[in-house]
Amino acid sequence: MLLKSTDTQTVVQVGEQVYLPSALHEAIVSFLVINRDSINKHLDSKKISTDIMSLISGTNSRIIRPGRAWISGQVSIKICLEFVPEDQTSASETLDHDRLPIDAATSPLDDLRAT
Protein backbone atom coordinates (compact mmCIF):
# COMPACT_ATOMS: atom_id res chain seq x y z
CA MET A 1 0.00 0.00 0.00
CA LEU A 2 1.60 3.26 -1.13
CA LEU A 3 1.33 6.19 1.27
CA LYS A 4 0.86 9.38 -0.70
CA SER A 5 2.56 12.53 0.50
CA THR A 6 -0.75 14.38 0.10
CA ASP A 7 -2.69 11.98 2.36
CA THR A 8 -3.91 13.90 5.42
CA GLN A 9 -6.16 11.13 6.74
CA THR A 10 -3.68 8.28 7.23
CA VAL A 11 -1.09 8.22 9.98
CA VAL A 12 1.91 5.94 10.35
CA GLN A 13 3.30 4.78 13.67
CA VAL A 14 7.04 4.12 13.54
CA GLY A 15 8.30 2.98 16.92
CA GLU A 16 6.56 5.18 19.47
CA GLN A 17 6.11 8.15 17.12
CA VAL A 18 3.13 8.81 14.84
CA TYR A 19 3.52 10.74 11.59
CA LEU A 20 1.53 11.92 8.61
CA PRO A 21 3.00 10.56 5.36
CA SER A 22 3.45 14.18 4.24
CA ALA A 23 5.73 14.88 7.24
CA LEU A 24 7.96 11.91 6.41
CA HIS A 25 8.04 12.90 2.75
CA GLU A 26 8.93 16.52 3.57
CA ALA A 27 11.72 15.44 5.94
CA ILE A 28 13.31 13.27 3.26
CA VAL A 29 13.04 15.91 0.52
CA SER A 30 14.40 18.64 2.81
CA PHE A 31 17.35 16.37 3.69
CA LEU A 32 18.11 16.02 -0.03
CA VAL A 33 17.89 19.79 -0.51
CA ILE A 34 20.04 20.62 2.53
CA ASN A 35 22.71 18.12 1.44
CA ARG A 36 22.55 18.96 -2.26
CA ASP A 37 26.23 19.94 -2.53
CA SER A 38 27.49 16.59 -1.25
CA ILE A 39 24.85 14.70 -3.26
CA ASN A 40 25.85 16.60 -6.42
CA LYS A 41 29.52 15.76 -5.79
CA HIS A 42 28.59 12.11 -5.41
CA LEU A 43 26.54 12.18 -8.62
CA ASP A 44 29.47 13.82 -10.41
CA SER A 45 31.86 11.16 -9.09
CA LYS A 46 29.57 8.55 -10.67
CA LYS A 47 29.72 10.46 -14.00
CA ILE A 48 26.08 11.59 -13.65
CA SER A 49 25.92 15.11 -15.04
CA THR A 50 22.76 16.42 -13.40
CA ASP A 51 22.06 17.88 -10.00
CA ILE A 52 19.70 16.70 -7.28
CA MET A 53 17.50 19.81 -7.52
CA SER A 54 16.81 19.08 -11.19
CA LEU A 55 15.92 15.52 -10.34
CA ILE A 56 13.57 16.62 -7.53
CA SER A 57 11.74 19.17 -9.68
CA GLY A 58 11.97 17.19 -12.93
CA THR A 59 14.42 17.65 -15.75
CA ASN A 60 13.96 17.37 -19.51
CA SER A 61 15.05 14.02 -20.83
CA ARG A 62 14.42 11.35 -23.42
CA ILE A 63 13.90 7.62 -23.14
CA ILE A 64 14.31 4.82 -25.64
CA ARG A 65 13.36 1.17 -25.43
CA PRO A 66 14.44 -1.64 -27.73
CA GLY A 67 12.57 -1.50 -31.02
CA ARG A 68 11.01 1.87 -30.29
CA ALA A 69 11.74 5.53 -31.04
CA TRP A 70 12.99 8.16 -28.61
CA ILE A 71 10.26 9.75 -26.42
CA SER A 72 10.80 13.17 -24.84
CA GLY A 73 9.63 13.93 -21.32
CA GLN A 74 10.93 14.53 -17.85
CA VAL A 75 12.69 12.37 -15.32
CA SER A 76 12.32 13.06 -11.62
CA ILE A 77 12.84 11.46 -8.25
CA LYS A 78 9.68 10.44 -6.46
CA ILE A 79 9.88 9.62 -2.77
CA CYS A 80 7.57 6.71 -2.10
CA LEU A 81 6.58 5.33 1.29
CA GLU A 82 5.10 1.86 1.19
CA PHE A 83 3.31 0.00 3.96
CA VAL A 84 3.60 -3.78 3.65
CA PRO A 85 1.23 -5.63 6.02
CA GLU A 86 2.58 -8.68 7.83
CA ASP A 87 -0.37 -10.79 6.66
CA GLN A 88 -1.05 -9.81 3.04
CA THR A 89 -4.39 -11.63 2.69
CA SER A 90 -6.22 -10.40 5.78
CA ALA A 91 -4.60 -6.97 5.63
CA SER A 92 -5.82 -6.24 2.10
CA GLU A 93 -9.34 -7.21 3.12
CA THR A 94 -9.15 -5.01 6.21
CA LEU A 95 -7.56 -2.03 4.46
CA ASP A 96 -9.90 -2.09 1.47
CA HIS A 97 -13.20 -3.41 2.74
CA ASP A 98 -13.65 -3.45 6.51
CA ARG A 99 -13.81 0.14 7.62
CA LEU A 100 -14.39 0.65 11.30
CA PRO A 101 -17.40 2.80 12.12
CA ILE A 102 -16.13 6.04 13.61
CA ASP A 103 -18.29 8.12 15.89
CA ALA A 104 -18.20 11.71 14.63
CA ALA A 105 -17.88 12.95 18.21
CA THR A 106 -14.79 10.86 18.96
CA SER A 107 -12.15 9.86 16.48
CA PRO A 108 -9.15 7.55 16.99
CA LEU A 109 -7.05 10.48 15.74
CA ASP A 110 -8.26 12.96 18.41
CA ASP A 111 -5.24 12.27 20.65
CA LEU A 112 -2.91 12.97 17.72
CA ARG A 113 -4.65 16.19 16.82
CA ALA A 114 -4.31 17.46 20.38
CA THR A 115 -0.50 17.47 20.14
Side-chain angles (χ1 to χ4, degrees), residues 10-54:
T10 305
V11 293
V12 180
Q13 181 176 355
V14 180
E16 297 296 317
Q17 298 296 317
V18 179
Y19 309 96
L20 288 171
S22 59
L24 291 170
H25 181 271
E26 175 57 34
I28 294 166
V29 171
S30 66
F31 175 82
L32 294 174
V33 171
I34 290 168
N35 293 287
R36 66 181 170 250
D37 289 339
S38 61
I39 294 170
N40 288 338
K41 286 178 186 174
H42 180 74
L43 290 172
D44 190 52
S45 75
K46 300 295 182 183
K47 309 283 190 241
I48 298 172
S49 60
T50 190
D51 63 273
I52 192 66
M53 297 306 292
S54 294

Coordinates of all heavy atoms in Angstrom, one line a residue, residues 10-54:
T10 N -4.4 9.5 6.7 CA -3.7 8.3 7.2 C -2.5 8.7 8.1 O -1.9 9.7 7.8 CB -3.1 7.5 6.0 OG1 -4.2 7.2 5.2 CG2 -2.5 6.2 6.5
V11 N -2.3 8.0 9.2 CA -1.1 8.2 10.0 C -0.3 6.9 10.1 O -0.8 5.8 9.9 CB -1.4 8.7 11.4 CG1 -2.1 10.1 11.4 CG2 -2.3 7.8 12.1
V12 N 1.0 7.1 10.3 CA 1.9 5.9 10.4 C 2.6 6.0 11.7 O 3.2 7.0 12.1 CB 3.0 6.0 9.2 CG1 3.9 4.9 9.3 CG2 2.3 6.1 7.9
Q13 N 2.6 4.9 12.4 CA 3.3 4.8 13.7 C 4.6 4.0 13.4 O 4.6 2.9 12.9 CB 2.5 4.0 14.7 CG 3.3 4.0 16.1 CD 2.4 3.3 17.2 OE1 1.3 3.0 17.0 NE2 3.1 3.1 18.3
V14 N 5.7 4.7 13.7 CA 7.0 4.1 13.5 C 7.7 4.2 14.9 O 7.9 5.3 15.4 CB 7.9 4.9 12.5 CG1 9.3 4.3 12.4 CG2 7.2 4.9 11.2
G15 N 7.9 3.0 15.5 CA 8.3 3.0 16.9 C 7.2 3.6 17.8 O 6.0 3.2 17.7
E16 N 7.5 4.5 18.6 CA 6.6 5.2 19.5 C 6.0 6.5 18.9 O 5.1 7.0 19.4 CB 7.2 5.5 20.8 CG 7.6 4.3 21.6 CD 6.5 3.4 22.0 OE1 5.4 3.9 22.4 OE2 6.6 2.1 21.8
Q17 N 6.5 6.9 17.7 CA 6.1 8.1 17.1 C 5.1 7.9 16.0 O 5.1 6.9 15.3 CB 7.3 8.9 16.5 CG 8.4 9.3 17.5 CD 7.9 10.3 18.5 OE1 7.2 11.2 18.2 NE2 8.2 10.0 19.8
V18 N 4.2 8.9 15.9 CA 3.1 8.8 14.8 C 3.3 10.0 13.9 O 3.6 11.1 14.3 CB 1.7 8.9 15.5 CG1 0.6 8.8 14.4 CG2 1.6 7.7 16.5
Y19 N 3.3 9.7 12.6 CA 3.5 10.7 11.6 C 2.4 10.7 10.5 O 1.9 9.7 10.2 CB 4.9 10.5 10.9 CG 6.0 10.3 11.8 CD1 6.4 9.0 12.2 CD2 6.7 11.4 12.3 CE1 7.5 8.8 13.0 CE2 7.8 11.2 13.2 CZ 8.2 9.9 13.5 OH 9.3 9.8 14.3
L20 N 2.3 11.9 9.9 CA 1.5 11.9 8.6 C 2.5 11.5 7.5 O 3.7 11.9 7.6 CB 1.0 13.3 8.3 CG -0.2 13.8 9.2 CD1 -0.4 15.3 8.9 CD2 -1.4 13.0 8.9
P21 N 2.1 10.9 6.5 CA 3.0 10.6 5.4 C 3.6 11.8 4.8 O 4.8 11.8 4.4 CB 2.1 9.9 4.3 CG 1.0 9.2 5.1 CD 0.8 10.2 6.3
S22 N 2.9 12.9 4.8 CA 3.4 14.2 4.2 C 4.6 14.7 5.1 O 5.6 15.2 4.5 CB 2.4 15.3 4.2 OG 1.8 15.5 5.5
A23 N 4.6 14.4 6.4 CA 5.7 14.9 7.2 C 7.0 14.1 6.9 O 8.1 14.6 6.9 CB 5.3 14.8 8.7
L24 N 6.8 12.8 6.8 CA 8.0 11.9 6.4 C 8.5 12.3 5.0 O 9.7 12.4 4.9 CB 7.5 10.4 6.4 CG 7.2 9.8 7.8 CD1 6.6 8.5 7.6 CD2 8.4 9.8 8.6
H25 N 7.6 12.5 4.1 CA 8.0 12.9 2.8 C 8.8 14.2 2.8 O 9.9 14.3 2.2 CB 6.8 13.0 1.9 CG 7.1 13.4 0.5 ND1 7.2 14.7 0.0 CD2 7.4 12.7 -0.6 CE1 7.5 14.8 -1.2 NE2 7.6 13.5 -1.7
E26 N 8.3 15.2 3.5 CA 8.9 16.5 3.6 C 10.3 16.4 4.2 O 11.3 17.1 3.8 CB 8.0 17.5 4.3 CG 8.7 18.9 4.6 CD 9.1 19.6 3.3 OE1 8.4 19.4 2.3 OE2 10.1 20.3 3.3
A27 N 10.4 15.6 5.3 CA 11.7 15.4 5.9 C 12.8 14.9 5.0 O 13.9 15.3 5.0 CB 11.5 14.5 7.2
I28 N 12.4 13.9 4.2 CA 13.3 13.3 3.3 C 13.7 14.2 2.2 O 14.9 14.4 1.8 CB 12.7 12.0 2.7 CG1 12.6 10.9 3.8 CG2 13.6 11.4 1.5 CD1 11.7 9.8 3.4
V29 N 12.7 14.9 1.6 CA 13.0 15.9 0.5 C 13.9 17.0 1.1 O 14.9 17.4 0.4 CB 11.8 16.4 -0.1 CG1 12.1 17.6 -1.1 CG2 11.0 15.3 -0.9
S30 N 13.6 17.5 2.3 CA 14.4 18.6 2.8 C 15.8 18.2 3.1 O 16.8 18.9 2.9 CB 13.8 19.2 4.1 OG 13.7 18.3 5.1
F31 N 16.0 16.9 3.5 CA 17.3 16.4 3.7 C 18.1 16.4 2.4 O 19.3 16.8 2.3 CB 17.3 14.9 4.2 CG 18.6 14.3 4.3 CD1 19.5 14.5 5.4 CD2 19.1 13.4 3.3 CE1 20.7 13.9 5.5 CE2 20.3 12.8 3.4 CZ 21.1 13.1 4.5
L32 N 17.5 16.0 1.3 CA 18.1 16.0 0.0 C 18.5 17.4 -0.4 O 19.6 17.7 -0.9 CB 17.2 15.4 -1.1 CG 16.9 13.9 -1.0 CD1 15.9 13.5 -2.0 CD2 18.1 13.1 -1.1
V33 N 17.6 18.4 -0.2 CA 17.9 19.8 -0.5 C 19.0 20.3 0.3 O 20.0 21.0 -0.2 CB 16.6 20.6 -0.4 CG1 16.9 22.1 -0.5 CG2 15.6 20.2 -1.4
I34 N 19.0 20.1 1.6 CA 20.0 20.6 2.5 C 21.4 20.0 2.2 O 22.4 20.7 2.2 CB 19.7 20.3 4.0 CG1 18.5 21.1 4.5 CG2 20.9 20.5 4.9 CD1 17.9 20.7 5.8
N35 N 21.4 18.8 1.7 CA 22.7 18.1 1.4 C 23.0 18.1 -0.1 O 23.8 17.2 -0.5 CB 22.7 16.7 2.0 CG 22.7 16.7 3.5 OD1 23.7 17.0 4.1 ND2 21.5 16.5 4.1
R36 N 22.4 19.0 -0.8 CA 22.6 19.0 -2.3 C 24.0 19.1 -2.7 O 24.3 18.4 -3.7 CB 21.7 20.0 -2.9 CG 22.1 21.4 -2.7 CD 21.1 22.4 -3.3 NE 21.4 23.7 -2.9 CZ 20.5 24.4 -2.1 NH1 19.4 23.9 -1.8 NH2 20.8 25.6 -1.8
D37 N 24.8 19.8 -2.1 CA 26.2 19.9 -2.5 C 26.9 18.6 -2.5 O 27.6 18.2 -3.4 CB 27.0 21.0 -1.7 CG 26.5 22.4 -2.0 OD1 25.9 22.6 -3.1 OD2 26.8 23.3 -1.1
S38 N 26.8 17.9 -1.4 CA 27.5 16.6 -1.3 C 26.8 15.6 -2.2 O 27.5 14.7 -2.7 CB 27.5 16.1 0.2 OG 26.2 15.9 0.7
I39 N 25.5 15.6 -2.3 CA 24.8 14.7 -3.3 C 25.3 15.0 -4.7 O 25.6 14.0 -5.4 CB 23.3 14.8 -3.1 CG1 22.9 14.3 -1.7 CG2 22.6 14.0 -4.2 CD1 21.4 14.6 -1.4
N40 N 25.4 16.3 -5.1 CA 25.8 16.6 -6.4 C 27.3 16.1 -6.7 O 27.6 15.6 -7.8 CB 25.7 18.1 -6.7 CG 24.3 18.5 -6.8 OD1 23.4 17.7 -7.2 ND2 24.0 19.8 -6.6
K41 N 28.1 16.3 -5.6 CA 29.5 15.8 -5.8 C 29.5 14.2 -6.0 O 30.3 13.7 -6.8 CB 30.4 16.1 -4.6 CG 30.7 17.6 -4.5 CD 31.5 17.9 -3.3 CE 31.7 19.4 -3.2 NZ 32.4 19.8 -1.9
H42 N 28.7 13.6 -5.3 CA 28.6 12.1 -5.4 C 28.1 11.7 -6.8 O 28.6 10.8 -7.4 CB 27.7 11.5 -4.3 CG 27.6 10.0 -4.4 ND1 28.6 9.2 -4.1 CD2 26.6 9.2 -4.9 CE1 28.2 7.9 -4.3 NE2 27.0 7.9 -4.8
L43 N 27.0 12.4 -7.3 CA 26.5 12.2 -8.6 C 27.6 12.4 -9.6 O 27.8 11.6 -10.6 CB 25.3 13.1 -8.9 CG 24.0 12.8 -8.2 CD1 23.0 13.9 -8.4 CD2 23.5 11.4 -8.5
D44 N 28.4 13.5 -9.5 CA 29.5 13.8 -10.4 C 30.6 12.7 -10.4 O 31.1 12.4 -11.4 CB 30.1 15.2 -10.0 CG 31.0 15.7 -11.1 OD1 30.6 15.7 -12.3 OD2 32.2 16.1 -10.7
S45 N 30.8 12.2 -9.2 CA 31.9 11.2 -9.1 C 31.4 9.9 -9.8 O 32.3 9.1 -10.2 CB 32.2 10.9 -7.6 OG 31.1 10.1 -7.0
K46 N 30.1 9.7 -10.0 CA 29.6 8.6 -10.7 C 29.3 8.9 -12.1 O 28.7 8.1 -12.8 CB 28.3 8.1 -10.0 CG 28.4 7.7 -8.6 CD 29.3 6.5 -8.5 CE 29.4 6.0 -7.0 NZ 30.3 4.9 -6.9
K47 N 29.9 10.0 -12.6 CA 29.7 10.5 -14.0 C 28.3 10.7 -14.4 O 27.9 10.5 -15.5 CB 30.3 9.4 -15.0 CG 31.7 9.0 -14.6 CD 32.7 10.1 -15.0 CE 34.1 9.5 -14.9 NZ 35.0 10.2 -14.0
I48 N 27.5 11.2 -13.4 CA 26.1 11.6 -13.6 C 26.1 13.1 -13.7 O 26.3 13.8 -12.6 CB 25.1 11.0 -12.6 CG1 25.2 9.5 -12.6 CG2 23.7 11.5 -12.8 CD1 24.5 8.8 -11.5
S49 N 25.8 13.7 -14.9 CA 25.9 15.1 -15.0 C 24.6 15.8 -14.9 O 24.1 16.5 -15.8 CB 26.6 15.4 -16.4 OG 25.7 14.9 -17.4
T50 N 24.0 15.6 -13.8 CA 22.8 16.4 -13.4 C 22.9 16.7 -11.9 O 23.7 16.1 -11.2 CB 21.5 15.7 -13.8 OG1 20.4 16.6 -13.6 CG2 21.2 14.5 -12.9
D51 N 22.0 17.6 -11.4 CA 22.1 17.9 -10.0 C 20.8 17.4 -9.3 O 19.8 17.2 -10.0 CB 22.3 19.4 -9.8 CG 21.2 20.2 -10.3 OD1 21.3 20.6 -11.5 OD2 20.3 20.5 -9.6
I52 N 20.8 17.2 -8.0 CA 19.7 16.7 -7.3 C 18.5 17.6 -7.4 O 17.3 17.1 -7.4 CB 20.1 16.4 -5.8 CG1 19.0 15.6 -5.1 CG2 20.4 17.7 -5.0 CD1 18.9 14.2 -5.7
M53 N 18.6 18.9 -7.4 CA 17.5 19.8 -7.5 C 16.7 19.6 -8.8 O 15.5 19.7 -8.8 CB 17.9 21.3 -7.4 CG 18.6 21.6 -6.0 SD 17.5 21.1 -4.6 CE 16.2 22.3 -4.8
S54 N 17.5 19.4 -9.9 CA 16.8 19.1 -11.2 C 16.0 17.8 -11.1 O 14.9 17.7 -11.7 CB 17.8 19.0 -12.3 OG 18.4 20.2 -12.5

